[in-house]
Amino acid sequence: MLHLITLLFLITTTGFCSETPDAILRDMLWEQLIVLPSDRRPKVGLVLSGGGARGFAHVGAIEVLERGGFPIDVVAGTSIGAIVGSVYANGASVEKMREMVKKARFDQGTNLNSFGLLRLFLVESLLSTKKMESYIRSHIGDKQFHELKKPFACVAMDLKTGERILFKEGRVAPAVRASMNLPGLFKPVEYRHRYLVDGGVVDYIPVDAAKSLGAQYVIASVTEGDYTQAPITNVLLSLQQVIDIRGALLSNASRRKANFIVEPSVGDIDFYQFERSEESVERGVLATQETFERAKESYILSSMPSLITAWKNGK
Amino acid sequence: MGNRPMGWMLLPVFLFHSSYAGGLLDSIGTAESLLEQNKCEELLLNISDSWLKSLTTQNQKRAYWILGQCHEKTGHPDKALGTYQIAVRMYPKDKNLLLALANLFHRVELNQRARVIYESLVQKHPDFPEAHLGLAETYKELGLLNQAAKHYELIKDKKTSLHYAEVLRQMGNWDRSEKIVQSLLESAPDETAWILMAKIQRGKGDKAASLKSLKKASRLSPHRVDLLLMMALWLEADGQSQESIQIIQSILRKEPKNPLAQWVLAWHTLKSGRLTQCLEILSTLSQQKEAPFIARVSKAMHATLEKPNSGAPDSLSTFNFQPTSHD
C-alpha cells in the first residue's frame, strides 16, 4: 500500500500541472511560426563545431531539434561537424546517424596503424586521410554540394597561406575530408592548388559559413574540450591541444555572432575517444533538451516581424 | 553494515523533538498506519532514536523509509535526503530505500543523480515497476524519450499511460499517443486526459477537434484559468475572435492585469486594426514582470509595429489596419 502511495505521489507531482502563461503563448506562437514557408520567416542555420569524438554530441542536438520541429534550413560544420553536417544535410535520419556513431572509430578513413606511425616517426612521412573520402561517400554518395537536401558548407584552412577556405560547391567528400584533416599528423589535402588542413584551426564554430548560405538566425552546437585539463602525453594530443586552444580563442567571436548556443557538457571527452561517441550523443540530447524551450523563445522573438506580417496577411 | 555506527551518530539531526521520544509508537505497524493517515507531524514527534534502535533490521529499514516519507510530506526534503542517505549507507542493497532516495532526487530535479540509482535498481530488479516508472519519468525529464518510452512500455499500468502518451506525443507519434488517451477517456474521462487529447489533435492539425477537447477539459475543471486562456488563444489563432474575446473579457473582469489575457486582447486589437490601442497594451505588458516571455514578446511586437519598415520580410507600411474610433 505504501509503495502505491509513493508511486502515485511520484506521478502526481511530475508533469500535467497547470500551464504557465509564458508556456501557453510560446507554444501557440511556435505553432504559427513553424508552418510559415521558409522564405517568410528568418532562415535558420545550424552550425556544428569541431571537436573529434566530442562532436558526435551534434547528433544528439539534431535529434532534439528535429523532434521538436525546429526548422533547420541550412547547415555548416567544421571538422567532425562537417562530417555530421554533411550526412544530416544529405537527409539522413537521426536513427541512421546514431548507427554511424556506433560504428565510428578514430582510425576510420586514415592509414593510422602501427606501420603508418612507424613511417611517420622514422621517415617523417605524414599519414593519409585518403580513405576518408570513401568513408564520406559510403554515407552520402559521390555528391556535389548542390545535390544535398539542405544547403551545406564546411571550412578548412590552407596550410600555405593560413586562409580560411569555405566550401559550398563542388564535390562534398574531398571538402569534408579537408575540413577534418588534422595538421601535423595527416598530409594536407591537395585540392584546387591548395594544401588543406582541419578547419578548426581558423573557424571552430563556422557561423559565417552558415550566414554565407543565407542563414538569418544561427543556432550553434559547440563541443569544445576543456584544454586546461587535457593530458599532453604524445604528439597527437599536443597537436589537438594547439587546435583546441586556437579554436577556443577564435570561438569567442563566433559565439557572439550566433543567436543561440547549445553547449553539451563534453569537455572531459578527448577528441580521439571514439569509444565514448555514444556518450557524446546522449550529452548532446541532454544539453539541447535542457535549453530547447529557450531556443524556441529566442527564435520566436527574432521572428516577430515575420509573424506580424503573417497576421497581416490573415494567416 | 560497517557504516552503521556513523549512521546512528548522524540520525538525531533528522529527528524532530527526539526528547519527546517514548513509547507512543508500539510497532512499525502503528507508524505505517499514521503515515497512511497522513499524520506525519504526530509521527515525527513520536519517533525516537531509541525506538529505532529497538527495531529488528527489517523494521528499521521500514522505519527509515517512513521517517523520510514524513519529512517529504511535511515539506522538508533536506531532512528526507539526510534520512535516506544515512539509511542507504546502512542498508545499501535495500531497494525500497534506494527507490525513495532516487524518487527524492527526481522530485527536486537532480535527475542525473536519480537516473544512476534507478538504472542500477532496474538492472538488479527487472521486475520492480516503481523503479521502471521512476526511470521512465527521469528519462522523460532529461529528453531521452526513446528510453523513457521503453520503460513506460514495460510498466503497462493504466495509471502511467497518460505519461506514456505524453512521451509519444513529444516524439511525434500522434496515432499511438491518441489511441492510448482515447482508451483512457473511454474508461475514466478527466481533465488532464482531455488536455493531452487536445494537444495531440492540434499537433495533428485537427484544430476543430482540439478545441472541442479543450472545452471538455475546461468544463471538467472550470476553475482553471490556464485552460480558458489557452482556449481563447487557440480560438483567436483559428479566427474565432468573437468567442475568444468573450472569454478574455470574462477573465479580465476577475484578473484585470492577467498578462496573457492582456496579450490576447492586444493581438485582437491589432488584428482589428486598432494599432494605437494595441501599442498601449503592449507597452504596459512589456513592463510587467509576472510573465517574462510575454513581456519580451510584447516589447518585440511594439518595436516592430512602431517601426513598420524595420525588418519584416514584407513591408508593414501596407498593413491593412481597419481604422476605428479607438484610433
Side-chain angles (χ1 to χ4, degrees), chain B residues 22-55:
Chain B
L24 287 179
L25 286 175
D26 51 5
S27 70
I28 194 77
T30 314
E32 282 181 344
S33 161
L34 285 170
L35 176 65
E36 277 187 50
Q37 293 167 51
N38 241 350
K39 293 180 177 172
C40 288
E41 302 281 359
E42 190 182 329
L43 188 57
L44 286 168
L45 280 172
N46 289 291
I47 288 183
S48 69
D49 50 356
S50 58
W51 178 74
L52 279 164
K53 277 179 193 169
S54 71
L55 297 171

Side-chain angles (χ1 to χ4, degrees), chain A residues 166-306:
Chain A
L166 175 68
F167 291 99
K168 51 182 181 179
E169 55 189 36
R171 284 169 60 224
V172 180
V176 172
R177 174 190 164 198
S179 183
M180 52 79 53
N181 197 50
L182 195 67
L185 188 64
F186 299 113
K187 279 182 205 161
V189 176
E190 290 185 44
Y191 186 77
R192 295 180 186 173
H193 310 293
R194 300 277 194 175
Y195 291 86
L196 302 170
V197 293
D198 197 302
V201 186
V202 280
D203 200 357
Y204 200 76
I205 311 171
V207 175
D208 288 336
K211 289 191 173 174
S212 78
L213 294 172
Q216 293 155 310
Y217 179 91
V218 169
I219 182 161
S221 172
V222 180
T223 53
E224 275 180 28
D226 182 0
Y227 61 81
T228 59
Q229 302 295 318
I232 311 167
T233 48
N234 58 41
V235 178
L236 196 63
L237 290 172
S238 306
L239 288 168
Q240 187 57 38
Q241 179 79 347
V242 171
I243 293 180
D244 279 352
I245 292 173
R246 175 91 177 124
L249 294 173
L250 286 171
S251 74
N252 289 333
S254 300
R255 280 165 185 271
R256 281 193 290 274
K257 290 181 202 162
N259 298 80
F260 197 84
I261 292 172
V262 174
E263 196 154 16
S265 168
V266 285
D268 62 311
I269 299 176
D270 286 320
F271 83 103
Y272 62 88
Q273 285 184 304
F274 276 48
E275 70 279 9
R276 296 179 70 185
S277 299
E278 287 184 86
E279 209 181 310
S280 285
V281 177
E282 192 173 278
R283 294 195 199 177
V285 171
L286 299 183
T288 314
Q289 179 71 24
E290 203 178 325
T291 53
F292 189 62
E293 300 303 340
R294 270 186 281 142
K296 278 161 71 173
E297 289 182 358
S298 159
Y299 184 50
I300 290 168
L301 289 168
S302 295
S303 308
M304 281 323 298
S306 306

